[in-house]
Amino acid sequence: MRSACAPSTCKPADRPLLPFVALAIGLAAIAHFLWEAMQLPLYTLWRTGMPREIAFALFHYTGGDVLITTATFAAAAALARHFRWPPFGWRMLLTVIVLGTAYTIFSEWLNVEIRRTWSYTAAMPVVPFLGTGLTPLLQWLIVPGLALAIVGHRYRRARRLAR
């Protein structure tokens, strides 16, 4: 994703996306960590786990979120380049949200219903027909959206300054 033009001849459209995608992933990682920490009381581990297990789960789940974020952001950036979508526009956002939400629905189903790796407390709102917790779904609507909005603003500002 590196630009081949010399800095003095680069056009705004030639700006590399990778540093901005990396920034978006970093922002999302921080937000995922905070989100996971806030929603932990909605899982039974919060009541039944030892502090070490809870801390491990927090970092493990955040790590998974970062991997999913990286994959979805990379896919969205590749599609943006391929189809010449405006970087950090609504199409990239929609791609990230659809891919992240689809994986979350699958993962929650697999880990709650099939593997029984984790379970919800009665306080977790569950989406009808899906059986998926509402907070994990909201996480994939809100966190990537905020990260892409913030970085998209910075990207557009950098393009304006480069003109």
Side-chain angles (χ1 to χ4, degrees):
M1 292 199 172
R2 193 181 284 200
S3 177
C5 63
S8 61
T9 63
C10 276
K11 297 181 190 103
D14 296 331
R15 294 193 65 80
L17 284 180
L18 188 57
F20 292 94
V21 172
L23 177 60
I25 292 168
L27 290 174
I30 293 166
H32 281 306
F33 178 81
L34 295 172
W35 192 285
E36 290 292 349
M38 289 187 302
Q39 78 176 354
L40 259 176
L42 298 174
Y43 291 87
T44 56
L45 177 68
W46 183 253
R47 292 191 182 112
T48 62
M50 301 300 291
R52 177 181 273 170
E53 293 171 310
I54 293 169
F56 175 81
L58 176 61
F59 285 100
H60 177 78
Y61 300 154
T62 300
D65 292 334
V66 172
L67 289 175
I68 298 163
T69 299
T70 302
T72 59
F73 282 19
L79 289 171
R81 284 283 191 188
H82 180 75
F83 291 113
R84 300 185 191 276
W85 296 343
F88 303 101
W90 68 268
R91 289 179 185 111
M92 276 185 73
L93 176 61
L94 184 63
T95 301
V96 167
I97 288 174
V98 166
L99 292 175
T101 301
Y103 183 80
T104 297
I105 291 168
F106 169 75
S107 178
E108 293 288 314
W109 167 78
L110 182 65
N111 287 292
V112 172
E113 300 297 326
I114 305 301
R115 292 182 180 161
R116 301 198 186 279
T117 314
W118 63 72
S119 58
Y120 303 139
T121 66
M124 171 69 86
V126 176
V127 178
F129 305 109
L130 291 178
T132 302
L134 180 62
T135 63
L137 283 180
L138 289 175
Q139 179 176 359
W140 282 97
L141 293 173
I142 294 170
V143 170
L146 285 175
L148 287 176
I150 291 166
V151 173
H153 173 74
R154 290 180 60 116
Y155 179 82
R156 287 183 289 279
R157 186 169 156 235
R159 285 185 60 166
R160 279 193 306 272
L161 293 174
R163 289 182 187 169

